[in-house]
């Protein structure tokens, strides 16, 4: 026997696993491209960045009339407002050929493209089309409106669900029906995924017969092969059934080496103990690169398992009894198959959480509220990057449920939700802080290692993707700088991206910190007006020269930003109370602003220089600012936070951020 032979030399489970993994090559097996139809259950090998907006145009959510919301203010049953009704109607799937100017309205169907100039939809139930009085002109139509609407009412603005340039799925994501729906929504027909681990399964023993054969005592049906094959499938691997080998050393030797040549993992079922007829251990012991690393582990069941490796490939001899075989498979082999396929093992939990914000529901119907889950902690939580379960961590913290806010037409709401809260039909309000029951979506819900709440930045997208490559999962909830600081104050996130300027000192971010917060310096970036190159209204002019056009020209349409964002604060300061055409259109990130301008849905907006460059837009500098990160003091020693801090300080990271346009 070779010096590596360990004949039932029983060792500790952790020692056995450490020896086993040290002998293996545990990197994902390589990238392959599959069609979207075949992507379910696969693991992404690259980030997926949207090449289109979803929706790709400003879309009406209602049957009604596209209007300027300001034209409806004050309208009611006793004092209606009257607008000129443009000829024709805008149907779904048809691009409008009209602009809606102040004092005008256009009929529009649900799903129709909102015409340029309109910023709201009046429901058909609240308006009446009629022929105008003779003095208004022969054949003219007018619209009588009996209920006012606010800007944005009834409109799903382009890019509010998914924006061009947004990282919608990250490397390492397991593709379920939710993720494939996102891929379909952005038009992807091919997907880069990690190759499945090919797992050879060899059953051994003179006593075995295949299911379907006639039972002949003292034979037994080979159930292990089926159990193991289906377990491999559940883990995303590709099982290769090599059949039953009798107790013949040469036959087993040939089968073993053939399987090693064609597979990534070899499982042999049966024959691991000391009996004279148990040949598996003796054949596997002939491997010397390194061969057997453990034979006998302190487990019940599963003591006689044999762990080996050849050329970095796992070779495992599992006990013959089905219970022992499947137990030891999940203890030692399942995690390896996950790693080879780029998949992360997840745990299942049923959980209780505290609702982050007050939520209203309509009396008389049951509502399913999709939520994201984060931990709110008051004490530092140290330990491994991968804490074992929600339950163990929840003993020291409170789970907080953040309602998803993109609406029923959103693809990403369901894709990114951790679970849902069922609101009974007799419940109208759930107050902020109230305990709710959250039902996880899918199997194996796991809270991300790093939770980020605050302002969005493409630089942050890059940092989180790099962390994901290191095995640190993240969750990004973009609610703006101000709301991010509030989440830090309440201990609901690990860090917040912020860019808030103190009007008193002109300093960014630091003046807003409290004693329980720490500032991590990020990078500088430049905000400015983005416009389409060649637009003579903008080319060669300063922002001061532009202001009369931006504020006074109704044909110069802007695209705004969401309330609470640092960029929105800059916009409102620039406009000094003015509300130009397009002010009500409020996407939540810079990429959506650039896409709106590039596609002609707007003429200008405020965005960072790197996004303007990426979209080949003109750029007029307005403000140099700091984009920093605020960390709760109680969380600064968490491993995931330390990993983020170290990544940000690395020279390659700073050089890449510099290439992106961040200083």
């Amino acid at each position: 026997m070779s010096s590596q032979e360990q004949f039932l030399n029983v060792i500790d489970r952790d020692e056995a696993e450490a020896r086993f993994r040290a002998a293996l090559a545990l990197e994902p097996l390589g990238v392959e491209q599959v069609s979207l139809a075949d992507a379910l259950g696969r693991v992404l090998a690259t980030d997926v960045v949207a090449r289109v907006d979803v929706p790709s145009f400003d879309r009406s959510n209602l049957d009604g009339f596209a209007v300027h919301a300001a034209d409806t203010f004050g309208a009611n049953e006793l004092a209606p407002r009257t607008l000129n009704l443009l000829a024709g109607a805008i149907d779904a799937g048809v691009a409008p050929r009209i602009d809606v100017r102040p004092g005008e309205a256009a009929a529009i169907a649900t799903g129709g493209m909102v015409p340029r100039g309109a910023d709201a939809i009046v429901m058909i139930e609240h308006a009446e089309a009629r022929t105008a009085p003779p003095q208004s002109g022969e054949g003219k139509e007018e619209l009588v409106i009996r209920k006012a609407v606010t800007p944005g009412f009834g409109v799903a603005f382009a890019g509010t669900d998914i924006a061009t340039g947004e990282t919608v799925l990250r490397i390492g994501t397991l593709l379920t029906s939710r993720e494939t729906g996102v891929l379909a929504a952005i038009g992807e027909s091919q997907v880069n995924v990690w190759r499945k681990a090919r797992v050879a399964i060899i059953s051994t023993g003179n006593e075995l017969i295949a299911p379907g054969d006639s039972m002949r005592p003292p034979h037994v049906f080979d159930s292990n092969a089926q159990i193991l094959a289906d377990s491999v499938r559940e883990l995303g691997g590709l099982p290769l059934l090599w059949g039953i080998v009798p107790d013949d050393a040469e036959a087993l030797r040939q089968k073993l080496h053939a399987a090693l040549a064609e597979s990534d993992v070899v499982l042999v079922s049966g024959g691991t103990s000391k009996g004279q007829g148990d040949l598996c251990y003796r054949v596997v012991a002939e491997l010397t690169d390194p061969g057997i690393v453990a034979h006998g582990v302190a487990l019940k069941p599963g003591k006689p398992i044999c762990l080996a490796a050849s050329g970095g490939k796992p070779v495992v001899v599992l006990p013959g009894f089905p219970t022992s075989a499947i137990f030891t498979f999940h203890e030692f082999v399942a995690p390896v198959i996950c790693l080879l396929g780029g998949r992360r093992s997840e745990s299942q939990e049923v959980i209780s959480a505290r609702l982050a914000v007050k939520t209203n529901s309509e009396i008389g119907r049951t509502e399913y509220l999709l939520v994201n889950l984060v931990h709110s902690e008051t004490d530092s939580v140290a330990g491994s990057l991968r804490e074992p379960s929600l339950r163990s961590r929840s003993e020291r913290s409170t789970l907080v449920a953040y309602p998803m806010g993109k609406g029923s037409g959103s693809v990403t709401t369901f894709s990114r939700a951790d679970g849902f809260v069922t609101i009974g039909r007799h419940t109208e309000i759930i107050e902020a802080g109230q305990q709710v029951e959250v039902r996880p979506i899918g199997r194996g819900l796991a809270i991300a290692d790093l939770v980020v709440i605050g302002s969005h930045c493409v630089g942050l997208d890059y940092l989180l993707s790099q962390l994901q490559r290191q095995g640190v999962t993240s969750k990004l909830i973009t609610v703006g700088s101000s709301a991010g600081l509030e989440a830090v104050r309440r201990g609901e996130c690990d860090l917040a991206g912020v860019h808030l300027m103190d009007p008193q000192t002109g300093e960014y971010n630091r003046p807003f910190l409290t004693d329980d917060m720490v500032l991590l310096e990020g990078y500088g970036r430049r905000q400015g007006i983005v416009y389409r190159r060649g637009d003579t209204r903008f080319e060669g002019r300063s922002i001061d020269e532009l202001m009369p056009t931006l504020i006074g020209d109704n044909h110069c349409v802007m695209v705004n930003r969401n309330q609470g964002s640092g960029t929105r604060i800059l916009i409102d300061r620039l406009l000094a109370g003015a509300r130009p055409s397009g002010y009500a259109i409020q996407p939540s990130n810079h990429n959506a602003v650039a896409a709106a301008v590039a596609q002609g849905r707007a003429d200008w907006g405020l965005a960072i220089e790197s996004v303007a460059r990426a979209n080949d837009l003109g750029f007029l500098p307005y403000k140099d600012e700091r984009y920093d990160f605020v960390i709760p003091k109680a969380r600064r020693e968490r491993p995931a936070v330390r990993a983020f801090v170290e990544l940000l300080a690395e020279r390659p990271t700073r050089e890449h951020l510099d290439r992106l346009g961040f200083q």
Side-chain angles (χ1 to χ4, degrees), residues 137-463:
E138 185 175 351
K140 284 192 174 182
E141 294 287 313
E142 62 182 20
L143 184 69
V144 179
I145 298 172
R146 294 186 171 85
K147 186 174 182 179
V149 293
T150 56
F153 180 82
V155 179
F157 291 112
T160 52
D161 187 4
I162 299 173
T164 301
E166 179 181 346
T167 303
V168 294
L169 295 172
R170 301 188 191 282
I171 183 174
T173 298
L174 176 65
L175 297 178
T176 69
S177 57
R178 297 181 290 153
E179 286 76 25
T180 57
V182 173
L183 292 168
I186 61 175
E188 296 293 338
S189 62
Q190 300 290 318
V191 188
N192 290 325
V193 296
W194 295 119
R195 181 171 67 78
K196 289 184 177 184
R198 296 168 300 189
V199 182
I201 300 170
I202 304 172
S203 299
T204 67
N206 290 332
E207 75 279 13
L208 295 182
I209 58 175
D213 287 352
S214 297
M215 171 53 67
R216 303 182 303 275
H219 294 86
V220 294
F221 287 120
D222 178 18
S223 61
N224 284 4
Q226 188 64 48
I227 295 170
L228 294 172
D230 287 342
S231 296
V232 168
R233 291 187 183 95
E234 288 174 347
L235 295 165
L238 178 64
L240 305 175
L241 293 170
W242 284 71
I244 299 170
V245 180
D247 290 329
D248 180 277
E250 183 57 31
L252 180 57
R253 186 178 295 113
Q254 291 180 12
K255 189 84 75 170
L256 174 64
H257 287 278
L260 271 171
E262 297 184 23
S263 309
D264 306 299
V265 179
V266 177
L267 303 180
V268 181
S269 173
T272 65
S273 59
K274 196 175 180 180
Q276 191 171 9
D278 293 331
L279 301 177
C280 299
Y281 163 77
R282 302 181 190 280
V283 172
V284 172
E286 297 171 1
L287 302 173
T288 58
D289 55 345
I292 294 173
V293 296
H295 183 212
V297 181
L299 293 174
K300 183 181 180 180
K303 176 181 176 181
I305 186 171
C306 178
L307 303 173
S310 178
K313 295 181 179 181
V315 179
V316 180
V317 185
L318 298 168
F321 287 147
T323 301
S324 296
I326 198 62
F327 180 83
T328 49
F329 170 85
H330 282 288
E331 279 291 287
F332 297 101
V333 183
V336 170
I337 294 174
C338 287
L339 289 171
L340 294 178
R343 180 186 292 215
R344 179 185 178 186
S345 298
E346 297 178 328
S347 61
Q348 284 187 306
E349 298 287 340
V350 177
I351 43 186
S352 177
R354 173 171 56 82
L355 200 63
V357 297
K358 179 180 177 181
T359 299
N360 297 318
S361 183
E362 184 178 331
I363 289 288
R365 68 175 185 179
T366 299
E367 180 178 352
Y368 301 104
L369 180 68
L370 291 164
V371 296
N372 267 319
L373 291 172
V374 301
H375 282 286
S376 176
E377 299 175 358
T378 55
D379 299 315
S380 176
V381 177
S384 67
L385 278 176
R386 307 212 180 285
E387 300 194 28
S389 70
L390 292 176
R391 183 178 292 111
S392 65
R393 190 168 171 183
S394 296
E395 291 171 357
R396 293 164 288 173
S397 64
T398 301
L399 279 168
V400 179
Y402 270 82
M404 307 287 283
K406 288 186 176 180
S408 61
S410 167
V411 177
T412 54
T413 299
F414 188 72
S415 168
R416 295 174 179 173
D418 293 318
F420 62 88
V421 176
T422 302
I423 303 176
R425 62 191 182 93
H426 299 301
T427 300
E428 185 175 14
I429 296 174
I430 302 179
E431 297 291 349
Q434 184 173 331
Q435 288 294 122
V436 293
E437 294 298 320
V438 179
R439 293 275 305 276
I441 293 175
R443 299 188 308 168
L445 170 66
I447 298 298
D449 300 315
L450 186 76
V451 176
V452 185
I453 301 178
S455 175
H456 173 264
C457 182
V458 293
L460 176 59
D461 273 341
Y462 165 74
L463 293 169

Side-chain angles (χ1 to χ4, degrees), residues 593-616:
V593 170
V597 174
Q599 296 168 12
R601 292 183 275 108
D603 300 310
W604 70 277
L606 203 66
I608 55 177
E609 186 173 11
S610 61
V611 168
R613 184 191 310 167
N615 288 273
D616 194 29

